[in-house]
């Protein structure tokens, strides 16, 4: 029988109307004997619901099925943002995924990051951190591999991406020292992420796919009774390539003409930018920056200079991951 305990922590989150306000971040620790320690985390951004809902399901399910090792469950790592349904922390407008900056912690968001880096990451060997497109974007459901800095290629990453069970996997290169991938790298923690859905909404199918993906990772890491079933290799997309992201240089209303998962050619019109309040202003056709699969689309029509409208990349075999390092 697994041992279950709460490892919650609280951080000050003062506002102009509440000087001594504190927010509790819920953490469940499940221990089932010798084995690796793994954290399953969501809600780093509060408006990304798929992972939060999936880990909440595991909060109730996992104590009855974990066979070995230790699992920490964090369904709402940024609890204040989750309660508000916002990407950033309301009390200080902080982005938790850019707040791992060490001492001194300035405000609520950096305090949460400091707690995660000192109370959680030193005690685990692997982390699965689930994201989505949040309010502004929608992603093709994908596992995510982020290389921080000059991290060496880890041969366990393709197996984890495969075990997550989604047909797509995206690759990023991380350079920001305050990110969660950077914090995990500093402490030698194996990390897989995911981008599942978005648009400030979710569906039961996406939540269940995420839940099953997290269970697949635990099985791959040897914490469940049966080994992870062999999954097909996901297609790999390099979203760090300069041509992968289309950003608008004007303000207007984005009217996409393509769908997630659609294959496009370089230069193909993927949508228009229009301005209904300026009917004499010509609409602007938007060309795809390169050929490939549409992996991400903006979910909010009104767009401003610098907003990401689309991400597109050619599908690569998973076994080419090492060549991207």
């Amino acid at each position: 029988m697994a041992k279950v305990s709460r490892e919650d922590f609280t951080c000050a989150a003062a506002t102009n109307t509440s000087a001594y306000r504190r927010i509790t971040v819920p953490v469940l620790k499940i221990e089932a004997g010798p084995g690796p320690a793994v954290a399953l985390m969501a809600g780093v951004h509060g408006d990304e619901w798929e992972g939060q809902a999936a880990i909440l399901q595991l909060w109730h399910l996992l104590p009855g099925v974990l066979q070995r090792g230790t699992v920490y469950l964090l369904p709402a790592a940024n609890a204040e943002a989750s309660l508000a349904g916002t990407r950033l922390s309301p009390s200080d407008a902080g982005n938790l995924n850019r707040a791992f900056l060490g001492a001194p912690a300035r405000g609520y968001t950096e305090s949460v990051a400091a707690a995660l880096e000192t109370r959680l990451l030193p005690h685990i060997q692997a982390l699965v951190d689930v994201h989505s497109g949040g309010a502004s974007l929608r992603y093709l459901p994908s596992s995510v591999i982020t290389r921080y800095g000059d991290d060496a290629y880890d041969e366990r990453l393709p197996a984890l991406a495969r075990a997550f069970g989604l047909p797509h996997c995206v690759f990023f290169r991380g350079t920001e020292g305050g990110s969660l991938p950077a914090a995990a790298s500093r402490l030698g923690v194996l990390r897989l992420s995911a981008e599942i859905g978005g648009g400030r909404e979710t569906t039961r199918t996406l939540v269940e796919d995420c839940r099953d993906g997290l269970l697949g990772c635990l099985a791959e890491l040897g914490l469940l009774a049966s080994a992870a079933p062999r999954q097909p290799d996901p297609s790999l997309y390099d979203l760090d390539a300069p041509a992968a992201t289309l950003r608008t240089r004007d303000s207007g209303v984005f009217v996409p003409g393509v769908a997630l998962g659609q294959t496009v050619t370089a230069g193909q019109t993927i949508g228009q930018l229009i301005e209904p309040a300026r009917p004499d202003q010509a609409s602007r056709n938007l060309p795809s920056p390169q050929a490939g699969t549409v992996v991400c689309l903006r979910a909010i029509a009104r767009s401003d200079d610098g907003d990401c409208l689309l991400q597109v990349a050619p599908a690569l075999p998973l076994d080419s991951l090492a060549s991207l390092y």
Side-chain angles (χ1 to χ4, degrees), residues 34-113:
V38 181
L40 306 181
M41 182 187 301
V44 167
H45 299 127
D47 62 349
E48 299 175 357
W49 299 114
E50 292 77 5
Q52 295 187 63
I55 293 178
L56 183 59
Q57 289 189 8
L58 294 180
W59 186 286
H60 303 287
L61 170 68
L62 201 55
V65 299
L66 191 68
Q67 295 296 307
R68 60 188 299 265
T70 300
V71 175
Y72 296 85
L73 297 177
L74 292 87
N78 188 339
E80 186 192 38
S82 176
L83 290 167
T86 58
R87 178 177 181 84
L88 305 180
S89 308
S91 59
D92 61 8
N95 180 348
L96 181 55
N97 206 22
R98 302 294 185 272
F100 291 80
L101 301 172
R106 298 158 296 183
Y108 163 80
T109 310
E110 289 185 23
S111 295
V112 174

Side-chain angles (χ1 to χ4, degrees), residues 189-211:
V189 175
L190 176 69
R191 178 179 180 271
L192 184 78
S193 187
E195 293 282 1
I196 301 178
R200 197 179 273 165
E201 61 187 18
T202 189
T203 67
R204 185 174 67 181
T205 297
L206 287 176
V207 171
E208 291 176 351
D209 286 349
C210 181
R211 178 203 63 201

